[in-house]
Amino acid sequence: MRALTLALTLLGALPALSVAAEPTYPPVDAYLMPRDAEIKMARSAAPPSVADHATVKVLTRTGYVVAETGSNGAVCLVMRGFSAPTYTPAELRAIVYDPTIRAPICFTPPSAKTVLPYYELRTTLGLAGKAPDQIASSVQAAYDSGKLPRRTETTFAYMFSAHQHLGPGINAWHPHMMVFAPNHQNAMLGGNPFGGVLPVVTDDAGTPFAVVVIVAGDDQAVHMPAH
């Protein structure tokens, strides 16, 4: 998500979410997609060697459900704005209110076990109308109590889809790997600039939910089949 938070342009591209007015959620239907289209988009998150054998989940009014069961332990889905950072960058937490975000992602088997439940919880809370601060407190409480899996190892997810829409002015960004690296700080990677193509901590630096983004070549982008 978003992962989703990959360009500085987003920071100034949300006029409807300014501090002058309290943001509100649009109707839930604005976040939903036709089932078959969502399955195709979800599978475009990763190379066919992974996506063709993955489980696919689709979003409903109450959260994600399994649409197709795979065999390799990977799980592909299309994240919405609910996948915004929990803590930092604080400016980007407001993308939960943006129903246009479409962020296909395919979790490898380890991250499907330890990271996917975090994004599913965030999504369920957003669909229930919880604001970013409420989402953050609920997520932290779930992690502290053990309701969310502990993150003790680095895990990975693919975001290679050519059909990403990661926010206003970003649309389909470079294919990239999401690296879930607990407690990493950007300084540990050399302090590379946010929004560039060098490895960078994009979300929640210094927390168990820290995300490192590593860009792949644009020729690796995965397109949905025409039919």
Side-chain angles (χ1 to χ4, degrees):
M1 199 184 172
R2 294 20 281 124
L4 308 178
T5 56
L6 301 171
L8 287 172
T9 54
L10 184 56
L11 299 180
L14 295 173
L17 306 180
S18 67
V19 294
E22 184 69 22
T24 58
Y25 283 103
V28 170
D29 283 355
Y31 292 89
L32 303 181
M33 294 178 61
R35 183 179 183 277
D36 289 347
E38 185 162 359
I39 291 171
K40 287 181 180 180
M41 184 177 284
R43 289 199 186 278
S44 74
S49 59
V50 176
D52 286 356
H53 308 284
T55 291
V56 175
K57 290 190 169 186
V58 297
L59 187 65
T60 70
R61 289 176 177 81
T62 57
Y64 285 99
V65 299
V66 173
E68 295 182 351
T69 301
S71 60
N72 63 0
V75 179
C76 301
L77 52 84
V78 181
M79 294 195 297
R80 308 311 205 268
F82 307 120
S83 59
T86 292
Y87 296 111
T88 57
E91 301 90 336
L92 297 182
R93 299 196 308 157
I95 65 171
V96 294
Y97 300 106
D98 185 347
T100 69
I101 301 293
R102 298 290 184 269
I105 187 168
C106 202
F107 296 93
T108 61
S111 66
K113 293 178 181 177
T114 60
V115 179
L116 174 56
Y118 159 86
Y119 285 110
E120 290 188 298
L121 175 59
R122 284 192 53 88
T123 298
T124 300
L125 293 167
L127 289 170
K130 303 298 184 182
D133 285 347
Q134 294 172 310
I135 291 173
S137 61
S138 294
V139 166
Q140 190 65 57
Y143 189 78
D144 291 343
S145 69
K147 291 181 179 179
L148 283 177
R150 306 300 293 179
R151 298 201 198 181
T152 59
E153 298 179 350
T154 298
T155 59
F156 301 84
Y158 288 90
M159 291 189 73
F160 279 24
S161 179
H163 309 281
Q164 303 173 93
H165 174 66
L166 303 184
I170 303 174
N171 298 319
W173 202 62
H174 305 286
H176 57 281
M177 293 298 296
M178 298 279 279
V179 183
F180 305 107
N183 304 311
H184 271 56
Q185 299 276 5
N186 198 40
M188 298 165 67
L189 303 177
N192 298 319
F194 189 93
V197 296
L198 296 176
V200 63
V201 175
T202 59
D203 296 8
D204 298 321
T207 77
F209 316 124
V211 177
V212 175
V213 166
I214 299 179
V215 173
D218 287 339
D219 60 342
Q220 299 301 310
V222 179
H223 294 265
M224 293 188 293
H227 300 289

